[in-house]
Amino acid sequence: IQELLRVMRTIDDRIVHELNTTIPTASFVGKVDPAQTCKELYESLMDAHTNRERIIKNCISQTSAVVKTLKEEREKAHEDAALLKQLRKEQTKLKLMQSELNVEEVVNDRSWKVLS
């Protein structure tokens, strides 16, 4: 998922470049509608943010369900080392997803500051 998020954050990473190529120079003012291109950039940024947040929250939800199930199984089988190892792995994955949600907030804030 981290690789997918990295690819999906390309628009945020390149926001300054996108703005520079969106806003026409004096020689291209008549050929490009800056209001329309800015609107399109804004909409694509909104879509990217919404999609990434939805994906991260979906992963958090799924991983939380797995952790809950593993905890319930562990209560029944206290001595199962493999189960404990799987539980720890899923808990680490859950923490990673939760931290990605925080990263997403920072990335989004940075992009909106550049855009405003």
Side-chain angles (χ1 to χ4, degrees):
I1 184 135
Q2 286 181 312
E3 180 63 22
L4 174 65
L5 290 172
R6 187 187 64 75
V7 170
M8 292 178 76
R9 287 180 178 140
T10 302
I11 189 170
D12 291 274
D13 294 340
R14 299 190 59 194
I15 191 72
V16 172
H17 173 73
E18 293 291 330
L19 281 172
N20 288 340
T21 58
T22 299
I23 300 171
T25 59
S27 60
F28 286 99
V29 167
K31 299 175 184 174
V32 177
D33 180 8
Q36 181 62 31
T37 53
C38 282
K39 180 182 175 189
E40 290 169 2
L41 178 60
Y42 174 84
E43 289 172 353
S44 64
L45 198 57
M46 283 293 295
D47 288 344
H49 291 177
T50 301
N51 288 334
R52 289 193 314 254
E53 184 176 340
R54 180 182 46 79
I55 288 169
I56 294 169
K57 285 183 176 180
N58 187 27
C59 286
I60 288 172
S61 176
Q62 289 177 4
T63 307
S64 292
V66 170
V67 167
K68 181 181 176 187
T69 302
L70 289 171
K71 281 182 177 180
E72 290 169 357
E73 289 177 20
R74 185 161 182 272
E75 287 179 13
K76 296 173 188 171
H78 293 287
E79 303 300 319
D80 190 343
L83 187 61
L84 180 60
K85 184 177 179 180
Q86 182 65 27
L87 176 60
R88 297 282 185 247
K89 180 181 173 187
E90 291 299 320
Q91 286 174 326
T92 300
K93 186 173 158 184
L94 180 59
K95 288 176 186 173
L96 178 66
M97 290 296 107
Q98 290 167 335
S99 70
E100 281 298 333
L101 203 53
N102 293 333
V103 169
E104 186 63 22
E105 184 179 332
V106 171
V107 169
N108 292 354
D109 287 346
R110 186 192 71 196
S111 293
W112 291 123
K113 285 178 185 174
V114 170
L115 196 59
S116 10

